[in-house]
């Protein structure tokens, strides 16, 4: 198996890659099917070398054809194969193209196919899910629903072919029900939906095989999004000049921390330092000054009670981080009125987003140097939508947000998305341990620190999101998901941004 690529495709784009490989590169469709089936079977042999029995669940499309190949290869190796077709009793007459060719080949190898019955036990030590592929759009019903529900109740390892059956390949949405795989082996192009929304609960470990398709095929098909990785850090953060000084790396002004909410702003300020900002000032309520200095004496803390007191701090800053612990009361309103008059680049998070909406400023934005970082709940409020509707198509949602607000938008969540209206970036790093207070505040500080180092807004956002999520993964490797604190990320963020891990 190859390392997961950085390019992501829709289901339609993946089908076009497949068609181009056949039409332009001259690779027969059945050859591609046999390569896919072999990749899955080799993974089965590698992971479960001692199994004696294999159950293969097949549908009638090309995904089922891949399953037919797996069944044939297993039979060749002397395994007992239970091959079950989900569909009509007369399925053989309904098969077309490469799927029929694969069925004939498997039958010639001695594989006996039975039609799935709900009361029939699964006999395999491992179960292969080759039911439904990337073309699925409507909700699962009938025998497929029965088969998937039964499979998910079975305490045996499951390996899915290309995509767990029941997932939307473009959005990651569960279409009624979906297979919960232990391993998913996907082919030709990484599907967008494998990294988003509900898919993360279903794919298990994701593996990729390009099926030996030449690079010339990929050059002919457009990419839908790019998956973030360590290469983004290398690309966007240059080696520092030996003659640099603190003024070379920007001055971040964090504005937040209304009464009783100082922690969020303090964490954002410290995160900006850990991400490499030369100077950081925290504008907050007077009651938080002692706590901020005790926590991080490198941050310059100023008590600000009015917009007038904020003005001289804005004049000294290069970048604003606006929103952590800001609240939505009169103090927040004064801060917004003053920030609104500034032309500085800004990261807007948490209550910064809420106060923009509350004061009718969101639809007036159109600021190319602002970065908005909503989680799904905040994004739904900004779009006056519902969370479930927004999550059903996260790509469309982030593009809609960017279209309204301008600038760069980060839609946080499983498979965080970043776009400036041109290119979409997706972060596949991160883990459930990040579901704890303060994570968003730390992210806003990291992005602000990168923005201060003269990265473009979209580059600051994509590098910041990746460093934040990858740092959380490193923390979890050390100590586990439960009890992960936002401030635990700091030393790992520094290592990632310095390319030390």
């Amino acid at each position: 198996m190859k390392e997961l690529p950085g390019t992501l495709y829709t289901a339609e784009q993946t089908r076009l890659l497949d068609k181009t490989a056949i039409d332009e590169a001259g690779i027969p469709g059945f050859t591609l099917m046999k390569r896919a089936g072999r990749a899955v079977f080799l993974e089965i042999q590698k992971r479960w070398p001692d199994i004696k029995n294999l159950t293969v669940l097949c549908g009638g499309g090309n995904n089922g054809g891949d399953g037919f190949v797996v069944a044939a290869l297993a039979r060749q190796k002397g395994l007992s194969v239970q091959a079950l077709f989900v569909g009509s009793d007369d399925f053989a007459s309904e098969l077309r193209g490469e799927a029929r060719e694969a069925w004939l080949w498997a039958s010639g190898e001695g594989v006996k196919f039975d039609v799935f019955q709900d009361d029939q036990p699964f006999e395999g030590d491992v179960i292969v899910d080759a039911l439904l592929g990337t073309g699925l759009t409507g909700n699962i019903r009938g025998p497929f629903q029965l088969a998937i529900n039964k499979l998910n109740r079975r305490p045996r390892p499951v390996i899915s072919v290309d995509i767990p059956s029941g997932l939307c390949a473009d959005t990651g949405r569960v279409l009624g029900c979906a297979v919960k795989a232990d391993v998913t082996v996907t082919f030709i192009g990484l599907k967008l939906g494998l990294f988003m929304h509900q898919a993360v609960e279903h794919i298990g470990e994701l593996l990729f095989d390009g099926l030996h398709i030449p690079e010339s095929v990929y050059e002919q098909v457009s990419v839908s999004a790019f998956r973030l990785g360590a290469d983004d850090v290398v690309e966007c953060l240059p080696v520092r000049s030996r003659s640099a000084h603190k003024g070379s790396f920007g001055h971040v002004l964090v504005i937040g921390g209304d009464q009783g909410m100082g922690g969020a702003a303090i964490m954002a300020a410290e995160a900006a330092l850990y991400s490499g900002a030369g100077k950081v000032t925290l504008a907050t309520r007077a009651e938080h000054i002692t706590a901020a200095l005790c926590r991080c004496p490198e941050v310059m803390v100023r008590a600000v009670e009015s917009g007038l007191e904020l003005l001289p701090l804005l004049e000294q800053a290069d970048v604003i981080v606006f929103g952590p612990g800001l609240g939505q009361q009169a103090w927040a309103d004064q801060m917004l009125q003053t920030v609104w008059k500034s032309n500085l680049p800004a990261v807007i998070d948490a209550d910064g987003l809420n106060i923009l909406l509350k004061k009718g400023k969101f639809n007036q934005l159109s600021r190319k140097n602002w970065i908005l970082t909503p989680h799904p709940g905040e994004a739904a409020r900004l779009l006056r939508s519902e969370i479930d509707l927004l999550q059903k198509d996260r790509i469309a949602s982030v593009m809609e947000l960017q279209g309204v607000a301008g600038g760069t938008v980060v839609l946080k969540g499983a498979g965080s998305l970043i776009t400036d209206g041109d290119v979409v970036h997706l972060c596949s790093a991160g883990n459930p341990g990040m579901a704890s207070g303060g994570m968003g505040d730390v992210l806003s500080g990291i992005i602000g620190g990168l923005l201060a180092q003269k990265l473009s807004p979209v580059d600051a956002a994509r590098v910041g999101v990746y460093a934040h999520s990858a740092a959380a993964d490193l923390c979890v490797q050390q100590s586990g998901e439960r009890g992960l604190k936002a401030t635990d990320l700091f030393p790992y963020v520094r290592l990632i941004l310095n390319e030390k891990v």
Side-chain angles (χ1 to χ4, degrees):
M1 296 294 171
K2 295 183 179 179
E3 183 178 346
L4 295 182
T7 49
L8 301 173
Y9 299 90
T10 63
E12 181 58 36
Q13 289 168 333
T14 307
R15 284 190 285 273
L16 185 56
L17 285 170
D18 189 83
K19 185 177 186 299
T20 304
I22 294 170
D23 296 343
E24 303 294 332
I27 306 173
F30 186 47
T31 298
L32 292 174
M33 187 170 283
K34 289 178 75 174
R35 289 176 183 176
R38 184 172 298 278
V40 173
F41 185 63
L42 288 175
E43 192 61 32
I44 292 170
Q45 288 184 301
K46 174 184 172 183
R47 287 176 181 266
W48 303 287
D50 299 325
I51 66 167
K52 305 298 183 185
N53 307 292
L54 187 68
T55 293
V56 185
L57 296 173
C58 300
N62 282 352
N63 194 257
D66 297 340
F68 298 156
V69 172
V70 174
L73 293 172
R75 188 74 180 84
Q76 287 177 352
K77 289 292 184 179
L79 272 65
S80 174
V81 178
Q82 180 190 33
L84 300 176
F85 186 88
V86 180
S88 68
D89 292 345
D90 194 25
F91 72 90
S93 65
E94 298 172 2
L95 295 173
R96 298 289 183 271
E98 289 86 9
R100 180 169 180 79
E101 196 171 352
W103 174 75
L104 290 171
W105 180 61
S107 297
E109 293 295 327
V111 178
K112 181 180 180 298
F113 290 90
D114 295 319
V115 176
F116 165 79
Q117 303 294 331
D118 190 34
D119 59 354
Q120 185 176 15
F122 294 152
E123 300 169 356
D125 301 315
V126 172
I127 303 172
V128 178
D129 159 35
L131 290 169
L132 298 162
T134 60
L136 187 65
T137 55
N139 278 3
I140 303 291
R141 292 185 174 86
F144 286 98
Q145 183 181 35
L146 294 174
I148 290 172
N149 288 337
K150 180 174 181 175
L151 186 154
N152 285 341
R153 293 192 300 268
R154 183 71 172 171
R156 299 287 174 86
V158 176
I159 184 166
S160 284
V161 177
D162 204 25
I163 186 170
S165 295
L167 285 181
C168 175
D170 291 345
T171 67
R173 183 162 60 98
V174 170
L175 298 171
C177 63
V179 170
K180 286 197 171 184
D182 296 279
V183 182
T184 298
V185 183
T186 196
F187 314 113
I188 300 180
L190 284 181
K191 290 78 182 168
L192 265 173
L194 292 172
F195 299 95
M196 290 192 295
H197 194 24
Q198 295 165 306
V200 297
E201 302 282 356
H202 291 261
I203 61 172
E205 183 179 351
L206 182 64
L207 304 174
F208 174 78
D209 195 303
L211 306 186
H212 306 292
I213 289 178
E215 190 61 35
S216 59
V217 170
Y218 293 95
E219 292 170 355
Q220 299 180 58
V221 178
S222 60
V223 174
S224 185
F226 293 91
R227 195 172 61 87
L228 297 174
D231 288 348
D232 292 88
V233 177
V234 176
E235 176 188 339
C236 297
L237 282 174
V239 175
R240 290 190 162 191
S241 168
R242 296 300 90 190
S243 61
H245 53 85
K246 63 184 178 183
S248 304
F249 306 116
H251 186 169
V252 177
L253 174 62
V254 177
I255 304 168
D258 198 358
Q259 293 172 346
M261 297 185 288
I266 294 170
M267 286 188 287
E270 189 173 6
L273 281 175
Y274 270 95
S275 62
K279 294 185 287 185
V280 177
T281 295
L282 171 59
T284 188
R285 290 284 201 174
E287 67 187 70
H288 304 311
I289 289 179
T290 301
L293 291 175
C294 289
R295 171 71 200 187
C296 189
E298 296 88 350
V299 172
M300 297 174 284
V301 191
R302 298 290 184 269
V304 173
E305 301 300 330
S306 68
L308 189 63
E309 293 178 357
L310 184 63
L311 279 174
L313 301 181
L314 286 169
E315 291 172 359
Q316 299 169 23
D318 298 308
V319 168
I320 301 166
V321 175
F322 181 71
L326 185 73
Q328 299 181 56
Q329 304 306 314
W331 185 76
D333 189 14
Q334 290 189 56
M335 299 301 105
L336 173 62
Q337 290 182 38
T338 307
V339 167
W340 189 256
K341 298 172 185 176
S342 170
N343 293 317
L344 289 175
V347 181
I348 313 297
D349 184 44
D351 275 333
L353 298 167
N354 293 326
I355 199 74
L356 278 176
L357 185 63
K358 182 178 179 180
K359 296 300 177 179
K361 301 289 190 183
F362 174 65
N363 291 325
Q364 302 174 27
L365 276 177
S366 298
R367 301 195 182 195
K368 292 184 178 180
N369 62 351
W370 278 27
I371 303 170
L372 275 60
T373 62
H375 59 57
E378 292 162 343
R381 287 195 293 275
L382 292 172
L383 293 175
R384 301 191 184 282
S385 181
E386 297 177 4
I387 296 176
D388 288 346
L389 289 176
L390 180 138
Q391 292 282 68
K392 282 182 178 179
D393 193 339
R394 286 172 55 83
I395 293 285
S397 297
V398 76
M399 294 303 294
E400 184 180 357
L401 276 168
Q402 197 282 330
V404 175
T408 297
V409 174
V410 177
L411 178 57
K412 296 184 287 195
S416 290
L417 298 170
I418 303 97
T419 188
D420 59 354
D422 181 18
V423 176
V424 176
H425 301 274
L426 182 148
C427 183
S428 59
N431 61 78
M434 299 174 74
S436 64
M439 285 290 175
D441 305 309
V442 167
L443 175 61
S444 64
I446 294 169
I447 295 174
L450 294 168
L451 193 58
Q453 293 169 74
K454 298 182 174 59
L455 272 68
S456 70
V458 71
D459 286 347
R462 66 180 169 122
V463 173
V465 168
Y466 171 73
H468 180 253
S469 297
D473 287 343
L474 289 174
C475 285
V476 165
Q477 289 176 22
Q478 295 288 324
S479 308
E481 294 175 353
R482 288 183 175 86
L484 179 64
K485 304 194 310 294
T487 52
D488 292 340
L489 273 57
F490 289 154
Y492 296 98
V493 167
R494 183 180 175 187
L495 288 173
I496 290 165
L497 294 178
N498 284 288
E499 302 167 43
K500 296 298 184 182
V501 287

